[in-house]
Amino acid sequence: MIELRPFDSLGGANHGWLDAKHHFSFADYHDPARDNWGNLRVWNDDTIAPKTGFPPHPHRDMEIITYVREGAITHEDSLGNKGRTEAGDVQVMSAGTGVRHSEYNLEDVTTKIFQIWITPTRKGDAPSWGARPFPKDDRAGHFVTLASGYGNDGDALPIRTDARIVAATLKAGESAEYPIGNDRKAYLVPATGSIRIDDVLVNARDGAAIRDVEVIRVTAIEDSEIVLVDAA
């Protein structure tokens, strides 16, 4: 089953400095049919104006993954971590027992991010933060794992949940497969380009909620950059 969620159907609000679109219920947007997808709780599509951002605010008991699509985001938190994450790269914050952080676009250009929240499988751990580059050439033509709750996923950023975040860049006409299994759920969004999953056309920034599928096969209609969450 593939449920298409077109970009134009998403909730959200334009705050001037921030144009936010919500794939799931968030802030003032609530749709009981879109509260979560398994343990995936939030997928926000944020466009952040230059020299603006989110001032310090708290989180707890949530795995927060930020995928930078354009520009860069600068993170600073109450643990003393500070880092700048550029387009195509990923940062992960495990909020654990509680942390305060800020995220600013300190660049001279607009920054665009996907921010993904996944419910952790356990509580009571200390908070943590990490980031790493994922050069697009490394994921050309196939999916690679960016962040994972599984210890055998090599150098992927660790998250404390039964989930995996993967990405691929495909040239027009190329296909890639992700074996997910019928007992899992997937949520897929093209950051750029358009793709097909079976006979379903998914355009840039649309969401595709997928379940009861053994293997997800994606074919690029245009050059595409794809992010997928494999959720419990």
Side-chain angles (χ1 to χ4, degrees):
M1 191 283 290
I2 302 170
E3 177 195 337
L4 180 66
R5 298 181 177 180
F7 179 76
D8 290 345
S9 75
L10 304 181
N14 191 332
H15 304 278
W17 67 273
L18 169 68
D19 187 2
K21 295 293 185 180
H22 310 313
H23 285 262
F24 299 95
S25 297
F26 189 85
D28 293 332
Y29 165 65
H30 181 66
D31 181 345
R34 296 184 180 181
D35 276 343
N36 63 289
W37 189 246
N39 57 357
L40 173 60
R41 176 60 190 85
V42 168
W43 191 310
N44 287 345
D45 180 325
D46 291 339
T47 300
I48 307 167
K51 309 300 183 183
T52 67
F54 302 91
H57 57 281
H59 291 283
R60 66 178 299 141
D61 295 326
M62 193 63 68
E63 302 300 295
I64 300 174
I65 302 97
T66 303
Y67 181 92
V68 183
R69 296 159 42 219
E70 294 181 23
I73 200 79
T74 297
H75 165 100
E76 190 167 3
D77 63 39
S78 54
L79 306 175
N81 297 307
K82 185 172 183 178
R84 178 177 175 273
T85 305
E86 298 181 343
D89 299 342
V90 178
Q91 68 173 11
V92 167
M93 187 175 73
S94 294
T97 53
V99 62
R100 290 180 63 84
H101 80 134
S102 62
E103 287 184 312
Y104 286 105
N105 174 16
L106 301 180
E107 315 304 311
D108 294 324
V109 297
T110 297
T111 286
K112 297 180 180 180
I113 64 173
F114 289 150
Q115 190 166 93
I116 297 163
W117 296 14
I118 306 175
T119 305
T121 53
R122 63 182 188 269
K123 300 180 180 180
D125 290 341
S128 66
W129 175 85
R132 63 158 295 177
F134 285 95
K136 293 183 182 181
D137 289 347
D138 291 352
R139 45 191 153 100
H142 64 278
F143 285 102
V144 299
T145 304
L146 308 181
S148 172
Y150 312 113
N152 60 352
D153 272 336
D155 56 0
L157 288 165
I159 51 178
R160 302 166 183 167
T161 188
D162 183 6
R164 182 183 282 119
I165 296 90
V166 302
T169 54
L170 300 179
K171 296 291 186 182
E174 285 187 329
S175 296
E177 293 184 348
Y178 181 78
I180 188 166
N182 288 316
D183 60 335
R184 306 282 295 179
K185 293 184 176 181
Y187 199 84
L188 181 151
V189 182
T192 61
S194 61
I195 63 167
R196 283 194 181 275
I197 311 171
D198 296 334
D199 60 349
V200 178
L201 175 65
V202 187
N203 289 312
R205 302 166 77 187
D206 290 350
I210 305 165
R211 61 176 171 85
D212 301 322
V213 174
E214 189 66 31
V215 177
I216 299 168
R217 181 176 174 83
V218 177
T219 300
I221 307 304
E222 306 168 319
D223 292 356
S224 300
E225 181 180 344
I226 303 154
V227 182
L228 180 152
V229 171
D230 172 353

